[in-house]
Amino acid sequence: MKPFYDVVVIGAGPAGLAAALASDERGAMTLLVEREASPGGILKQCIHDGFGLVRYGEKFSGPEYAHRFINKIPDSGVEISMLTFVSRIEKKQNGFTLTLINREGLQPVECKNIVLACGCRERTSRQIGICGRHCAGVFTAGTAQYYTNILGKMPAKRCVILGSGDIGLIMARRLKLEGAQVIGVYEAKPTASGLLRNVYQCLEDFDIPLYTCKTVTRLYGEGRLSAVGISSVDEENMIPVPGTEQIIECDALILSVGLIPENELAESLGIPLDKKTKGPVVDQNYMTMTDRVFCCGNALHVNDLVDYVSESGETAGLAAAQRVPENSGRSFALVNADDSLLYVVPQRLDIDNLSDGKVIFFFRSGRETGRTRLVVKLDGHEIFFKVYQRLRPPEMERLELDLFVVCWERKLRMKNGSKIEFSLIPEEI
């Protein structure tokens, strides 16, 4: 390991792999740091297909998709350090000093630019406040997937799945294929939280029931889970309705109740986080509000397609490798989403670094809609609209907008402090 690098990428999942390779292709001396024993991130245990449809036009399993990038590492100049943790990052005048911990002990490394590609983690039963003794048999969906696909162990014989996120739906199908009895998937919201294709392919095709407006409120069991209490949920207030609890016998509860971006390192640097995405506030190049620190993939916001994770990694890696001189200040246009949307990324546009005017935005609707018009305004003037036949919060939308063209057509100019506003308006048929 060298004492100095142009770019250090933290995390060797799909975002980090793409960022490191892109940085190396731009000629930057790049170090890729990973805390696990092998690269690939969560993809290593995702043996189902469906990865790569957008990027490659083919259906790969998770390991197959990851190896598209991993196989390029030996022929690149990327140096990779496995079983390595970043314990501290210090901001210096012209870069950063990272303290790495691995089998060789503590190792300080200096770099000019950092790419945070730390991924996300799952919420646990304690984080959602389920009452009762926390006995064996309560798993996050990712942990159950690891037991089944990597260790070859069955985590359940008769299970309940709480939450209809994509990994919960996929594990419902996986456990049933392995012979477990999947009593049902219970979702507190009135609609499923995963992609519709997974609802059809994982639940309907395998006769696994989906119960909406239901949640688990209590655990029963001594040593091992023996039953759960399930209550109806008040749709308006999203709280359990007293007196509606049903006791369902099971030996496992699988939790698919949301993901949280891993941003402890970003917080340690004082990088502002977006309360909606739980990831850093970034510009169109995925640079955070701290110069020379970039963020991409699920550490930035939770994506539903790995293709978009890789795309953000490539953008961040290329930008980090440009060796942009230290800025005394950046000129920003502010990107805002009204209450009709959950969020829009990026949240800022660095006006001085809009190379060709083309910006890729990602957004999620605030609720399920029918025919809807997306309206984009610059300082109160409409510059773009697009009609969608249907929008769902679980399904992220990608929008590429050429701001130079739309501003030139309307004789408008972005300046420091300009506001770009996204909103959704119902369309009458």
Side-chain angles (χ1 to χ4, degrees):
M1 191 178 295
K2 303 178 183 68
F4 176 82
Y5 295 89
D6 295 316
V7 178
V8 172
V9 179
I10 304 173
L17 287 166
L21 289 167
S23 171
D24 174 69
E25 288 172 7
R26 189 61 68 88
M29 189 184 304
T30 305
L31 173 65
L32 178 58
V33 177
E34 172 55 48
R35 63 188 176 188
E36 295 187 359
S38 58
I42 195 67
L43 293 180
K44 297 193 295 290
Q45 65 188 50
C46 298
I47 65 173
H48 55 280
D49 67 7
F51 300 93
L53 283 169
V54 174
R55 187 180 185 90
Y56 298 110
E58 298 181 60
K59 290 196 297 184
F60 298 120
S61 68
E64 287 173 325
Y65 184 93
H67 275 276
R68 284 275 175 138
F69 295 88
I70 294 170
N71 291 340
K72 296 178 181 179
I73 295 290
D75 296 328
S76 73
V78 175
E79 185 176 343
I80 185 166
S81 181
M82 307 306 302
L83 294 173
T84 301
F85 293 79
V86 179
S87 66
R88 187 178 183 185
I89 302 177
E90 295 180 82
K91 182 82 167 68
K92 302 295 184 180
Q93 184 174 359
N94 296 313
F96 304 88
T97 298
L98 287 74
T99 301
L100 307 183
I101 302 176
N102 54 28
R103 287 167 290 187
E104 281 71 48
L106 291 175
Q107 292 186 301
V109 168
E110 294 186 358
C111 66
K112 288 184 179 179
N113 301 283
I114 295 173
V115 178
L116 300 173
C118 309
C120 57
R121 64 178 183 269
E122 297 175 280
R123 284 190 174 91
T124 66
S125 60
R126 295 181 185 275
Q127 290 174 303
I128 61 174
I130 299 178
C131 298
R133 197 175 293 241
H134 288 268
C135 47
V138 180
F139 305 90
T140 64
T143 301
Q145 188 180 59
Y146 178 79
Y147 269 72
T148 308
N149 295 347
I150 302 297
L151 300 181
K153 303 290 186 181
M154 275 294 286
K157 293 180 180 178
R158 176 181 166 88
C159 69
V160 164
I161 296 180
L162 176 61
S164 58
D166 290 310
I167 189 170
L169 301 176
I170 288 163
M171 282 311 297
R173 177 181 62 184
R174 184 78 178 99
L175 290 169
K176 185 159 185 178
L177 284 170
E178 289 298 327
Q181 181 183 358
V182 181
I183 299 166
V185 175
Y186 295 82
E187 170 59 56
K189 298 175 183 177
T191 57
S193 296
L195 297 174
L196 282 179
R197 76 181 190 202
N198 285 331
V199 174
Y200 297 137
Q201 294 173 4
C202 299
L203 299 188
E204 294 189 9
D205 289 355
F206 288 84
D207 295 323
I208 299 172
L210 170 65
Y211 302 98
T212 57
C213 296
K214 299 278 188 180
T215 191
V216 174
T217 51
R218 184 171 292 275
L219 307 176
Y220 297 92
E222 294 288 339
R224 175 81 190 197
L225 186 71
S226 61
V228 295
I230 294 180
S231 298
S232 298
V233 174
D234 181 334
E235 185 176 336
E236 183 177 349
N237 299 310
M238 291 299 294
I239 57 175
V241 178
T244 61
E245 186 180 74
Q246 295 177 294
I247 308 299
I248 296 181
E249 293 183 359
C250 60
D251 66 353
L253 172 65
I254 312 296
L255 300 172
S256 178
V257 289
L259 301 168
I260 305 171
E262 291 270 17
N263 278 305
E264 286 77 6
L265 290 175
E267 290 180 295
S268 73
L269 289 168
I271 295 173
L273 302 183
D274 186 328
K275 293 181 179 179
K276 295 180 178 179
T277 64
K278 305 295 189 296
V281 174
V282 296
D283 65 18
Q284 73 277 9
N285 295 313
Y286 299 117
M287 186 187 287
T288 68
M289 295 301 98
T290 296
D291 285 346
R292 300 179 178 272
V293 180
F294 299 78
C295 187
C296 57
N298 286 341
L300 177 60
H301 64 114
V302 177
N303 292 252
D304 48 19
L305 295 178
V306 72
D307 309 77
Y308 296 150
V309 169
S310 299
E311 182 181 30
S312 70
E314 286 175 338
T315 301
L318 290 172
Q322 287 181 333
R323 305 181 182 86
V324 178
E326 193 74 19
N327 294 321
S328 56
R330 291 146 73 190
S331 299
F332 289 120
L334 310 179
V335 181
N336 298 314
D338 69 10
D339 292 340
S340 64
L341 295 104
L342 290 179
Y343 65 78
V344 174
V345 173
Q347 301 92 340
R348 301 285 188 273
L349 296 184
D350 185 347
I351 298 172
D352 299 327
N353 287 292
L354 273 174
S355 55
D356 60 1
K358 293 180 180 179
V359 177
I360 296 173
F361 295 97
F362 292 98
F363 69 90
R364 293 183 189 270
S365 62
R367 60 183 180 83
E368 192 165 332
T369 71
R371 185 179 169 88
T372 304
R373 177 189 293 251
L374 171 71
V375 175
V376 183
K377 294 183 178 181
L378 171 63
D379 293 329
H381 301 278
E382 184 175 319
I383 59 172
F384 178 83
F385 78 88
K386 182 177 180 179
V387 175
Y388 293 85
Q389 296 303 317
R390 183 181 187 183
L391 291 172
R392 298 180 66 243
E395 296 173 0
M396 190 174 68
E397 299 292 335
R398 180 186 185 276
L399 174 68
E400 185 171 337
L401 197 56
D402 192 328
L403 292 171
F404 285 174
V405 170
V406 296
C407 288
W408 178 80
E409 289 175 343
R410 292 157 181 78
K411 297 181 173 58
L412 298 172
R413 184 174 69 89
M414 278 192 299
K415 55 186 182 295
N416 188 33
S418 286
K419 292 183 178 180
I420 298 175
E421 299 172 280
F422 282 66
S423 62
L424 294 173
I425 303 171
E427 279 269 298
E428 293 186 6
I429 299 177

